Amino acid sequence: MPNNASPHSDRDRTAHYTSNSLTLIGAISMGTGVMIGAGIFALTGQVAELAGSWFPLAFLAAALVSAFSAYSYVKLSNAYPSAGGIAMFLEKAYGKTMMTGACALLMYFSMVINESLVARTFGTYTLQLFDIDEDPILVPALGVGLLVFAFLVNILGNRVIQTLSFFMAFLKIAGVAIFALAGLWLSGLDFESLSAVPAKTAPGSFLGAVALAVLAFKGFTTITNSGGEIVDPHRNVGRAIVISILICVVIYLLVALAVAGNLTLDEIVRARDYALAEAARPAFGRFGLWFTVIFAIVATVSGVIASVFAVSRMLAMLTDMKLVPHSHFGMPGDIQKHTLVYTIVAAMLLTVFFDLGRIASLGAIFYIVMDIAVHWGILRRLRGEVDARPAILITAIALDAAVLGALLIVKANSDMLVIYAAAAGMLLIFVGERLFLKADRQGAG
């Protein structure tokens, strides 16, 4: 090999995708795996803190917002199934521009934030097995351990991930359903923490809670990032998205009502990071607590594995599209392995330095901004190609804008650090993307 030759061949610098390696059931398992892992275990208490006694309705409203959003992704996936998912969709709408790269990176970082959210949830619930309250060292340490495990599973390949995701998705859906139905039965359908006229919930706080609850459904977007690997993608990507959302709507409502039937609102807020485990104590006693925590662990483990699988492929696609810079940093293997490492390292840093509430808020802001960009791109440039109805797209944009605005107002009044972090993050992403594309074009010239 010549002295100036790279130790990595061109083949190593190209991401590889295996078509027909994910079935419809595998895609649904992956989508529900991300949603349930991040959603009901991590966000019930966070949503209840803002929505008060209307928190089950916040999940239902978030499902409505997500349904309008899903319309765009289903239309795009049916027309342009791709392993790049959202990155490819944005390029179709905006071309190879700063808007495409920056919004794709917003989605990437929102998914990384989601992984750290789930990782911290794993740590918080695991400590409940030992009657240890949330510990500032043990929670992030356990979260980092989970991310390391997710990395090891992901380097084994699609078949292993699909099998594990399906098995864990089945276990946790069954476990969460048992918790919800048994909790409802033992509560005697007496929902003491619910009220038709909540005393403390302002409309803005409720909409802010809806913005957080949207994170409980955003996992459906991970399905689009594997579009090039799903069997019959023109049909099955959209079907997997719809089925995943429907499954989660039913489960979230049942669980929210079960929690409301066994805890007061103050108790839910006090235990906001592990509300389901706390609800299991009066309903089931010690055995029920262990049961709930074990299924929370299963849910969070499968959620992180599925999310890491999808988001690392999205970053690899962005690299192939020459929308982001890439360096091997001396690592062996192809780009997918490298983006997997970058994703895990970024999630670890967030897990160590941010708490659940701030992680959830930051992820919601990044995701909703990106979501609005997707709808706008279709409305302006692609609605004819993908046969999308303008009224639905406009409604999706309006709903996103309403819940995002409410969340920003709530956080501006309670935790400005989230606003500063979101603003700084988006500024760095947009400016960095502009500088990279400018340098890339000058280099090509």
Side-chain angles (χ1 to χ4, degrees):
M1 183 174 67
N3 292 334
N4 61 349
S6 169
H8 299 279
S9 67
D10 290 337
R11 181 181 58 83
D12 289 333
R13 294 183 178 273
T14 303
H16 304 287
Y17 306 97
T18 307
S19 60
N20 297 326
S21 59
L22 281 174
T23 64
L24 173 62
I25 293 176
I28 294 170
S29 300
M30 187 167 57
T32 55
V34 175
M35 283 190 272
I36 296 175
I40 203 67
F41 290 101
L43 294 172
T44 300
Q46 307 290 335
V47 170
E49 189 173 21
L50 289 178
S53 54
W54 276 359
F55 74 93
L57 292 180
F59 281 104
L60 189 60
L64 179 64
V65 173
S66 299
F68 277 94
S69 290
Y71 175 82
S72 292
Y73 296 94
V74 169
K75 287 293 186 181
L76 287 166
S77 297
N78 288 343
Y80 316 115
S82 164
I86 290 165
M88 187 64 70
F89 300 159
L90 288 164
E91 188 186 41
K92 291 288 184 182
Y94 297 103
K96 188 180 177 181
T97 63
M98 178 189 70
M99 190 69 174
T100 295
C103 288
L105 285 174
L106 284 179
M107 182 61 191
Y108 170 78
F109 283 113
S110 78
M111 294 171 75
V112 172
I113 289 167
N114 179 75
E115 290 159 13
S116 64
L117 172 72
V118 179
R120 284 195 72 103
T121 302
F122 167 80
T124 303
Y125 272 82
T126 300
L127 291 182
Q128 299 307 302
L129 288 175
F130 308 100
D131 283 331
I132 299 175
D133 291 332
E134 187 171 352
D135 186 278
I137 296 176
L138 290 178
V139 169
L142 288 167
V144 168
L146 172 57
L147 290 167
V148 171
F149 176 72
F151 170 78
L152 296 175
V153 171
N154 269 269
I155 63 177
L156 297 178
N158 287 12
R159 294 295 181 187
V160 173
I161 296 167
Q162 175 176 282
T163 301
L164 190 61
S165 294
F166 175 75
F167 178 69
M168 286 188 162
F170 175 79
L171 278 181
K172 72 183 177 184
I173 289 172
V176 171
I178 290 170
F179 165 85
L181 294 174
L184 286 171
W185 178 67
L186 290 172
S187 71
L189 301 181
D190 179 19
F191 308 119
E192 57 181 313
S193 62
L194 302 186
S195 170
V197 185
K200 300 179 181 178
T201 305
S205 293
F206 178 78
L207 288 176
V210 173
L212 290 184
V214 165
L215 287 179
F217 295 94
K218 70 178 281 291
F220 77 80
T221 58
T222 62
I223 298 171
T224 69
N225 293 333
S226 303
E229 299 173 287
I230 295 175
V231 175
D232 192 6
H234 291 281
R235 293 182 58 223
N236 284 337
V237 174
R239 291 167 66 190
I241 289 172
V242 172
I243 293 170
S244 295
I245 291 176
L246 289 175
I247 290 172
C248 288
V249 169
V250 174
I251 289 176
Y252 291 167
L253 284 178
L254 288 176
V255 170
L257 291 174
V259 171
N262 289 282
L263 295 177
T264 65
L265 183 60
D266 287 341
E267 289 171 333
I268 296 171
V269 173
R270 275 200 306 272
R272 60 184 178 274
D273 292 345
Y274 50 93
L276 268 66
E278 191 67 18
R281 295 179 193 270
F284 307 106
R286 186 68 181 172
F287 172 78
L289 172 67
W290 282 47
F291 176 86
T292 304
V293 171
I294 288 171
F295 277 101
I297 291 171
V298 171
T300 50
V301 169
S302 63
V304 168
I305 290 171
S307 179
V308 168
F309 172 84
V311 73
S312 61
R313 276 153 176 73
M314 177 183 175
L315 186 58
M317 177 60 76
L318 285 172
T319 304
D320 278 353
M321 293 163 67
K322 300 188 184 303
L323 286 170
V324 296
H326 180 78
S327 174
H328 291 286
F329 291 112
M331 292 185 293
D334 60 22
I335 279 179
Q336 285 183 9
K337 297 295 190 299
H338 303 164
T339 55
L340 185 59
V341 172
Y342 304 155
T343 299
I344 292 293
V345 170
M348 284 179 176
L349 291 173
L350 285 167
T351 301
V352 170
F353 292 110
F354 283 79
D355 63 23
L356 275 177
R358 284 172 172 164
I359 290 172
S361 299
L362 195 59
I365 292 168
F366 279 17
Y367 171 72
I368 295 173
V369 170
M370 181 282 309
D371 200 49
I372 291 172
V374 170
H375 302 318
W376 180 252
I378 299 173
L379 182 65
R380 287 295 303 274
R381 302 181 182 181
L382 296 177
R383 67 177 185 267
E385 293 181 35
V386 302
D387 191 27
R389 297 182 181 180
I392 298 178
L393 297 172
I394 292 170
T395 302
I397 292 171
L399 290 173
D400 275 348
V403 297
L404 176 61
L407 179 61
L408 291 175
I409 292 171
V410 168
K411 289 302 171 182
N413 292 327
S414 62
D415 190 1
M416 276 300 298
L417 180 60
V418 170
I419 305 295
Y420 294 144
M426 284 192 282
L427 181 64
L428 285 172
I429 287 170
F430 276 87
V431 172
E433 184 64 23
R434 182 177 180 84
L435 293 175
F436 168 73
L437 289 177
K438 183 179 179 180
D440 187 60
R441 286 170 185 145
Q442 288 176 344

